[in-house]
Amino acid sequence: MKNTASAFLLLSALASATLLPGCVASKKYDDLRARQAATEQSLATAERQQREAVAELQKSTDALSELRLQTKRLAEDSAQTGNALRRTRQLYTQLTDSYDKLLKNSDRALANKADDYNKVARDLARREAELGELETTLKRSKADIDKLNTDLKVREVRVQELEKALVEKDKAVNDLRTSVANALRGFQGSELQVKMKDGKVYVSLSEQLLFKSGSTKVDPKGQEALKKLAAVLQEQKDVNVVVEGHTDNVPILKGTAGMQDNWDLSVLRATEIARLLSTNGVAPERVTASGRAQYVPVSANDTPANKALNRRTEIILTPKLDQLFQILGSNSTTGTK
């Protein structure tokens, strides 16, 4: 700006000089011209320097902005580092306190451990003595263990034989039930039922099929059913037969000949059926007659229909278990040796 003002003053002086008629000397004019040229050159140099200074200023401004941004980032990083440092110092303090406490506790624990060690040493010596006794006992027991292993193998063989016998027994019972059911197929229904229970075959005959009310004589239809059953039992000679008579809870009529109560009635009916089975070919020594009166009902004696269900005779067929008893007997004998 200062160079620009000087040039302006020089130009004004030149203009004034041209207006003065012949009063300015030629040398002075040349000096003014030389000063003007020098001023213009200085002005151009100053403008160039100004542009360079502006460019340099802009560069410095950009660098200053970048430095300020970096400074801000460094300040933020420093704050985060300071927070982490404070947390680390707190953690270090806590760890130091914990370590001091552990040291104090360790001292007490070591003192206690010394007592515990002495106690453990005494226990260890005692246990070593006991271990010696146990080893001696173990050596004495080895022969017994060997014998037990031998007995175990024998028992395993017996168990296999027993399982085989049980399978054969179950098959025999099932075959018996099938044979009886087929023979009495014409009587199936409410009058007669054939079922398996507890490894036995139960043939349940209703009073309606066998007897008139209060009677101990089997009706013809019942005799026909017993005859078919006897035919099956003649072929199944390894089956024991138990005849059980059952009644409802209604007392018999007073004055009934030869009977005082339902027990008599149930026994006499069972005896009659056993006699008919024997008459039709079943060996008498295989048949057992018994009476249960009203004491083993299959339904509550609260309706006529339920009472009719309780008035029944059950023929219980049980395959002989001689083979099973022999195996069980041999196991018992082995166990007592």
Side-chain angles (χ1 to χ4, degrees), residues 233 239-243 270-271 273-275 277-278 282-289 315:
L233 294 177
V239 175
N240 293 322
V241 182
V242 175
V243 182
T271 303
I273 292 174
R275 188 177 293 111
L277 291 174
S278 177
V282 180
E285 60 272 15
R286 294 169 53 193
V287 183
T288 302
I315 301 176

mmCIF file of all heavy atoms in Angstrom, residues 233 239-243 270-271 273-275 277-278 282-289 315:
data_model
loop_
_atom_site.group_PDB
_atom_site.id
_atom_site.type_symbol
_atom_site.label_atom_id
_atom_site.label_comp_id
_atom_site.label_asym_id
_atom_site.label_seq_id
_atom_site.Cartn_x
_atom_site.Cartn_y
_atom_site.Cartn_z
ATOM 1 N N LEU A 233 -58.428 -131.376 29.699
ATOM 2 C CA LEU A 233 -57.558 -131.650 30.842
ATOM 3 C C LEU A 233 -57.007 -133.071 30.801
ATOM 4 O O LEU A 233 -55.933 -133.345 31.373
ATOM 5 C CB LEU A 233 -58.310 -131.408 32.143
ATOM 6 C CG LEU A 233 -58.716 -129.946 32.403
ATOM 7 C CD1 LEU A 233 -59.520 -129.835 33.694
ATOM 8 C CD2 LEU A 233 -57.481 -129.049 32.467
ATOM 9 N N VAL A 239 -51.213 -130.606 34.539
ATOM 10 C CA VAL A 239 -51.948 -129.405 34.984
ATOM 11 C C VAL A 239 -52.737 -129.766 36.234
ATOM 12 O O VAL A 239 -53.505 -130.738 36.241
ATOM 13 C CB VAL A 239 -52.897 -128.897 33.882
ATOM 14 C CG1 VAL A 239 -53.744 -127.742 34.402
ATOM 15 C CG2 VAL A 239 -52.098 -128.463 32.655
ATOM 16 N N ASN A 240 -52.537 -129.008 37.286
ATOM 17 C CA ASN A 240 -53.339 -129.150 38.498
ATOM 18 C C ASN A 240 -54.612 -128.310 38.379
ATOM 19 O O ASN A 240 -54.615 -127.249 37.751
ATOM 20 C CB ASN A 240 -52.545 -128.697 39.730
ATOM 21 C CG ASN A 240 -51.380 -129.619 40.031
ATOM 22 O OD1 ASN A 240 -51.492 -130.838 39.878
ATOM 23 N ND2 ASN A 240 -50.247 -129.053 40.436
ATOM 24 N N VAL A 241 -55.696 -128.802 39.015
ATOM 25 C CA VAL A 241 -57.008 -128.160 38.884
ATOM 26 C C VAL A 241 -57.524 -127.803 40.274
ATOM 27 O O VAL A 241 -57.586 -128.658 41.157
ATOM 28 C CB VAL A 241 -58.011 -129.099 38.170
ATOM 29 C CG1 VAL A 241 -59.356 -128.382 37.998
ATOM 30 C CG2 VAL A 241 -57.456 -129.566 36.826
ATOM 31 N N VAL A 242 -57.857 -126.514 40.452
ATOM 32 C CA VAL A 242 -58.474 -126.046 41.691
ATOM 33 C C VAL A 242 -59.847 -125.488 41.341
ATOM 34 O O VAL A 242 -59.965 -124.616 40.467
ATOM 35 C CB VAL A 242 -57.623 -124.968 42.393
ATOM 36 C CG1 VAL A 242 -58.360 -124.426 43.621
ATOM 37 C CG2 VAL A 242 -56.276 -125.528 42.776
ATOM 38 N N VAL A 243 -60.886 -126.013 42.015
ATOM 39 C CA VAL A 243 -62.248 -125.539 41.789
ATOM 40 C C VAL A 243 -62.636 -124.660 42.970
ATOM 41 O O VAL A 243 -62.642 -125.121 44.117
ATOM 42 C CB VAL A 243 -63.234 -126.717 41.635
ATOM 43 C CG1 VAL A 243 -64.633 -126.190 41.343
ATOM 44 C CG2 VAL A 243 -62.763 -127.663 40.529
ATOM 45 N N ALA A 270 -68.450 -126.438 44.572
ATOM 46 C CA ALA A 270 -67.109 -126.765 44.096
ATOM 47 C C ALA A 270 -66.894 -128.275 44.111
ATOM 48 O O ALA A 270 -66.296 -128.850 43.182
ATOM 49 C CB ALA A 270 -66.062 -126.059 44.963
ATOM 50 N N THR A 271 -67.368 -128.930 45.145
ATOM 51 C CA THR A 271 -67.217 -130.384 45.242
ATOM 52 C C THR A 271 -67.968 -131.084 44.117
ATOM 53 O O THR A 271 -67.474 -132.066 43.525
ATOM 54 C CB THR A 271 -67.735 -130.871 46.597
ATOM 55 O OG1 THR A 271 -67.024 -130.196 47.634
ATOM 56 C CG2 THR A 271 -67.522 -132.363 46.754
ATOM 57 N N ILE A 273 -68.642 -129.901 41.119
ATOM 58 C CA ILE A 273 -67.936 -129.718 39.851
ATOM 59 C C ILE A 273 -66.678 -130.580 39.819
ATOM 60 O O ILE A 273 -66.347 -131.191 38.780
ATOM 61 C CB ILE A 273 -67.600 -128.224 39.659
ATOM 62 C CG1 ILE A 273 -68.896 -127.437 39.440
ATOM 63 C CG2 ILE A 273 -66.635 -128.013 38.494
ATOM 64 C CD1 ILE A 273 -68.707 -125.945 39.391
ATOM 65 N N ALA A 274 -65.961 -130.670 40.935
ATOM 66 C CA ALA A 274 -64.778 -131.530 40.987
ATOM 67 C C ALA A 274 -65.161 -132.976 40.702
ATOM 68 O O ALA A 274 -64.449 -133.706 39.997
ATOM 69 C CB ALA A 274 -64.103 -131.399 42.351
ATOM 70 N N ARG A 275 -66.299 -133.392 41.245
ATOM 71 C CA ARG A 275 -66.762 -134.770 41.035
ATOM 72 C C ARG A 275 -67.081 -135.012 39.564
ATOM 73 O O ARG A 275 -66.743 -136.070 38.992
ATOM 74 C CB ARG A 275 -67.979 -135.035 41.913
ATOM 75 C CG ARG A 275 -68.432 -136.500 41.911
ATOM 76 C CD ARG A 275 -69.599 -136.695 42.867
ATOM 77 N NE ARG A 275 -69.180 -136.505 44.267
ATOM 78 C CZ ARG A 275 -69.551 -135.491 45.034
ATOM 79 N NH1 ARG A 275 -70.359 -134.558 44.545
ATOM 80 N NH2 ARG A 275 -69.119 -135.397 46.277
ATOM 81 N N LEU A 277 -65.796 -133.419 36.945
ATOM 82 C CA LEU A 277 -64.543 -133.469 36.192
ATOM 83 C C LEU A 277 -63.888 -134.838 36.346
ATOM 84 O O LEU A 277 -63.372 -135.413 35.374
ATOM 85 C CB LEU A 277 -63.587 -132.361 36.674
ATOM 86 C CG LEU A 277 -63.979 -130.920 36.338
ATOM 87 C CD1 LEU A 277 -63.018 -129.941 36.998
ATOM 88 C CD2 LEU A 277 -63.994 -130.695 34.821
ATOM 89 N N SER A 278 -63.906 -135.360 37.558
ATOM 90 C CA SER A 278 -63.318 -136.680 37.801
ATOM 91 C C SER A 278 -64.089 -137.745 37.057
ATOM 92 O O SER A 278 -63.501 -138.675 36.471
ATOM 93 C CB SER A 278 -63.292 -136.963 39.299
ATOM 94 O OG SER A 278 -62.794 -138.263 39.560
ATOM 95 N N VAL A 282 -60.808 -136.786 34.473
ATOM 96 C CA VAL A 282 -59.696 -136.084 35.109
ATOM 97 C C VAL A 282 -59.331 -136.816 36.398
ATOM 98 O O VAL A 282 -60.206 -137.084 37.237
ATOM 99 C CB VAL A 282 -60.075 -134.612 35.417
ATOM 100 C CG1 VAL A 282 -58.890 -133.895 36.075
ATOM 101 C CG2 VAL A 282 -60.490 -133.895 34.139
ATOM 102 N N ALA A 283 -58.066 -137.165 36.564
ATOM 103 C CA ALA A 283 -57.634 -137.919 37.745
ATOM 104 C C ALA A 283 -57.982 -137.148 39.015
ATOM 105 O O ALA A 283 -57.677 -135.955 39.135
ATOM 106 C CB ALA A 283 -56.135 -138.168 37.678
ATOM 107 N N PRO A 284 -58.636 -137.778 39.982
ATOM 108 C CA PRO A 284 -59.077 -137.082 41.201
ATOM 109 C C PRO A 284 -57.928 -136.442 41.969
ATOM 110 O O PRO A 284 -58.111 -135.386 42.596
ATOM 111 C CB PRO A 284 -59.741 -138.195 42.022
ATOM 112 C CG PRO A 284 -60.118 -139.236 41.028
ATOM 113 C CD PRO A 284 -59.083 -139.189 39.966
ATOM 114 N N GLU A 285 -56.730 -137.048 41.908
ATOM 115 C CA GLU A 285 -55.619 -136.468 42.676
ATOM 116 C C GLU A 285 -55.139 -135.135 42.092
ATOM 117 O O GLU A 285 -54.393 -134.403 42.738
ATOM 118 C CB GLU A 285 -54.447 -137.440 42.741
ATOM 119 C CG GLU A 285 -53.851 -137.848 41.408
ATOM 120 C CD GLU A 285 -54.538 -139.071 40.788
ATOM 121 O OE1 GLU A 285 -55.640 -139.418 41.254
ATOM 122 O OE2 GLU A 285 -53.961 -139.664 39.868
ATOM 123 N N ARG A 286 -55.611 -134.816 40.890
ATOM 124 C CA ARG A 286 -55.230 -133.539 40.303
ATOM 125 C C ARG A 286 -56.201 -132.426 40.659
ATOM 126 O O ARG A 286 -55.930 -131.258 40.364
ATOM 127 C CB ARG A 286 -55.181 -133.659 38.767
ATOM 128 C CG ARG A 286 -54.094 -134.582 38.240
ATOM 129 C CD ARG A 286 -54.281 -134.841 36.756
ATOM 130 N NE ARG A 286 -54.385 -133.588 35.995
ATOM 131 C CZ ARG A 286 -54.796 -133.523 34.729
ATOM 132 N NH1 ARG A 286 -55.167 -134.642 34.094
ATOM 133 N NH2 ARG A 286 -54.859 -132.374 34.110
ATOM 134 N N VAL A 287 -57.328 -132.771 41.295
ATOM 135 C CA VAL A 287 -58.409 -131.799 41.491
ATOM 136 C C VAL A 287 -58.521 -131.450 42.973
ATOM 137 O O VAL A 287 -58.519 -132.340 43.835
ATOM 138 C CB VAL A 287 -59.742 -132.355 40.972
ATOM 139 C CG1 VAL A 287 -60.844 -131.310 41.105
ATOM 140 C CG2 VAL A 287 -59.590 -132.815 39.515
ATOM 141 N N THR A 288 -58.653 -130.163 43.261
ATOM 142 C CA THR A 288 -58.885 -129.659 44.613
ATOM 143 C C THR A 288 -60.141 -128.809 44.602
ATOM 144 O O THR A 288 -60.301 -127.923 43.746
ATOM 145 C CB THR A 288 -57.708 -128.800 45.099
ATOM 146 O OG1 THR A 288 -56.516 -129.565 45.073
ATOM 147 C CG2 THR A 288 -57.947 -128.285 46.514
ATOM 148 N N ALA A 289 -61.065 -129.083 45.548
ATOM 149 C CA ALA A 289 -62.309 -128.313 45.646
ATOM 150 C C ALA A 289 -62.237 -127.405 46.861
ATOM 151 O O ALA A 289 -61.821 -127.828 47.947
ATOM 152 C CB ALA A 289 -63.506 -129.244 45.748
ATOM 153 N N ILE A 315 -62.533 -122.263 37.878
ATOM 154 C CA ILE A 315 -61.674 -123.438 37.769
ATOM 155 C C ILE A 315 -60.292 -122.922 37.398
ATOM 156 O O ILE A 315 -60.099 -122.346 36.316
ATOM 157 C CB ILE A 315 -62.213 -124.423 36.719
ATOM 158 C CG1 ILE A 315 -63.634 -124.872 37.119
ATOM 159 C CG2 ILE A 315 -61.286 -125.618 36.576
ATOM 160 C CD1 ILE A 315 -64.296 -125.769 36.085
#
